[in-house]
Amino acid sequence: MSTIISTTGLTKLYGRKPALVDVNLEVPTGVVFGYLGPNGAGKTTTIRLLVGLMRPTRGSATIGGADIVRARSAAQRHIGYLPGEFVGYPDLTAEQYLRYLANLRGGVDDKVRRRLIERLGLDPTVRIGAMSHGNRQKVGIVQAFMSEPDLLVLDEPTSGLDPLVQREFHTLIHEAKSAGSTVFLSSHVLSEVQEVADMVGILRQGRLVEVRAIDELTARPLRHIDLVFAGAAPDLDRLRHINGVRSVHHNTKGVHVELEGSTAALLRAVAPFEVIDIVSHEPDLEDIFLNYYG
Ligand code: ATP
C-alpha cells in the first residue's frame, strides 16, 4: 500500500513551547484518517504544517512524496484544504469567490463545483461576510472538494453544520474515498469519526500516542452490560469476584458491569434474581478516547 502522508520527527515549537513533538505518522493512500485529540493537543498545528502554512522547527514530512518545505508547491498540488476557521473573502459572494479560486487553481470542473453547491444547499448569491457560520463552512467545503484533490485535509469540517448537511458531507467523504482520494480530518465529534474513518491517530499534548484501524480499536473485548432487576439486585461484591468482571456499580436503572470475555459466569450469578432487561454494548470510540485521557 502506498503512503500519501509521511512525517518523520515532525516537531513545532511556538517560541519555546512545544506544540507538536516528534510525530512519526504514515497515512496510507485511499483511507479516511481521523485525527483526534483534546483542545490544544496539536491537531491544527499538524495540519498547518502539512499544508505548508508553517515550517516545522524540526523533522520533515512529505505529501505524495513531495517534501512540505523543499517542494512546497508540489506537495500543495495534491491537497484540498479546509481550515479550522474558514473566512474566505467576506466582500465576495460565494459564487464570485469559488469562481475566482477555480480560475486561480485551474483544472476545476464547473459541473463539480455547481453540484457541490447544490448538494450542500448553499445559496451562492450571498456575500460570504453576510453568511452564518454554517453557510460559510459550506463555502469552505466546496472550495476544498471542487478540484477533486488526491488528499483532502479538513480541520474540524463539520463544525457549525446542521445534521442534514453533516449527512451529505459524510456522503461526500465516502464518494471521495471511492474515487481514490485520501481524507485526513480532525474532529472532536467521535461518533462522526467512527462513522467515516478507517483509521485514527490520537494526539495528546503534542505527541502521537496511538495510530490504529478503527476496527482494531473498537474490537477490544471489554463490554458494558446493564442489568435491570424487578426486585433486589444481587450483592455487588459477589459480582465483582466473577471471572472477567472488571467493575460493577449501581446506575439509575440497575447495575452496570464492565466485563472482559464470556458472559456465562455473570449470567449464572444473576439468574436466581428476577432480571427484566439486559443491554450489552461494545465499547465505542468515545470510551476508548476517554481511556486515553482518563
Ligand atoms: P483545538 O482542538 O482546540 O483546535 P488543536 O489540537 O488544534 O486544538 P493547536 O491549535 O494545534 O491544537 O495548538 C497546540 C498548542 O499550540 C496549544 O497549546 C496552543 O495554545 C499552541 N499554539 C497554537 N498556535 C499558537 C501560536 N500561533 N502561538 C503560540 N502558541 C500557539
Side-chain angles (χ1 to χ4, degrees):
M1 198 184 259
S2 66
T3 301
I4 186 138
I5 300 175
S6 174
T7 77
T8 309
L10 195 64
T11 299
K12 178 71 187 176
L13 311 183
Y14 291 110
R16 284 200 186 157
K17 188 178 170 216
L20 201 68
V21 185
D22 282 334
V23 168
N24 297 308
L25 172 66
E26 303 275 308
V27 176
T29 304
V31 303
V32 178
F33 190 94
Y35 201 45
L36 303 174
N39 293 132
K43 302 179 295 297
T44 299
T45 299
T46 311
I47 286 177
R48 290 171 62 82
L49 290 170
L50 293 178
V51 302
L53 289 174
M54 295 187 305
R55 284 171 168 241
T57 310
R58 279 198 309 272
S60 61
T62 57
I63 306 288
D67 187 276
I68 55 164
V69 177
R70 289 195 303 268
R72 192 168 83 129
S73 304
Q76 285 175 332
R77 269 197 288 280
H78 291 282
I79 298 174
Y81 166 52
L82 173 69
E85 279 164 33
F86 175 79
V87 275
Y89 289 162
D91 292 336
L92 299 185
T93 66
E95 178 69 19
Q96 289 167 334
Y97 175 72
L98 292 167
R99 270 179 190 275
Y100 164 75
L101 277 190
N103 288 334
L104 201 65
R105 289 182 196 160
V108 174
D109 184 339
D110 226 31
K111 279 204 286 292
V112 173
R113 180 177 56 83
R114 267 187 273 130
R115 184 87 185 103
L116 284 164
I117 288 174
E118 201 180 297
R119 285 179 64 179
L120 294 172
L122 177 68
D123 181 349
T125 64
V126 178
R127 217 167 40 80
I128 295 176
M131 285 182 175
S132 69
H133 173 55
N135 283 326
R136 208 164 46 237
Q137 188 74 351
K138 293 179 193 173
V139 181
I141 292 172
V142 175
Q143 64 78 32
F145 279 73
M146 69 182 179
S147 52
E148 302 178 289
D150 303 338
L151 173 64
L152 284 151
V153 178
L154 312 170
D155 197 353
E156 297 278 346
T158 48
S159 100
L161 299 183
D162 71 46
L164 278 181
V165 180
Q166 273 183 31
R167 198 181 300 162
E168 191 60 33
F169 172 75
H170 293 161
T171 311
L172 290 178
I173 294 212
H174 287 302
E175 288 172 5
K177 183 187 161 183
S178 304
S181 297
T182 308
V183 183
F184 184 90
L185 64 95
S186 75
S187 181
H188 287 113
V189 187
L190 298 173
S191 55
E192 158 179 285
V193 173
Q194 191 152 16
E195 189 177 325
V196 297
D198 306 300
M199 287 179 81
V200 294
I202 300 179
L203 260 190
R204 179 184 191 172
Q205 294 174 354
R207 292 177 189 271
L208 194 60
V209 292
E210 187 72 275
V211 177
R212 270 183 202 251
I214 285 261
D215 293 348
E216 232 183 296
L217 258 188
T218 51
R220 289 190 181 169
L222 197 66
R223 232 185 299 213
H224 294 257
I225 298 176
D226 286 309
L227 297 158
V228 185
F229 299 92
D235 176 41
L236 296 200
D237 267 341
R238 269 194 55 211
L239 298 184
R240 268 186 202 111
H241 289 100
I242 292 169
N243 219 354
V245 169
R246 293 285 165 265
S247 75
V248 182
H249 63 261
H250 281 290
N251 62 14
T252 47
K253 290 187 190 149
V255 174
H256 182 86
V257 182
E258 268 183 32
L259 179 81
E260 209 172 320
S262 166
T263 50
L266 176 69
L267 294 181
R268 271 198 305 275
V270 298
F273 298 82
E274 201 179 337
V275 182
I276 53 172
D277 201 7
I278 300 180
V279 180
S280 166
H281 16 209
E282 305 291 322
D284 60 13
L285 200 54
E286 185 144 355
D287 298 319
I288 292 158
F289 189 73
L290 290 174
N291 254 342
Y292 276 101
Y293 297 102

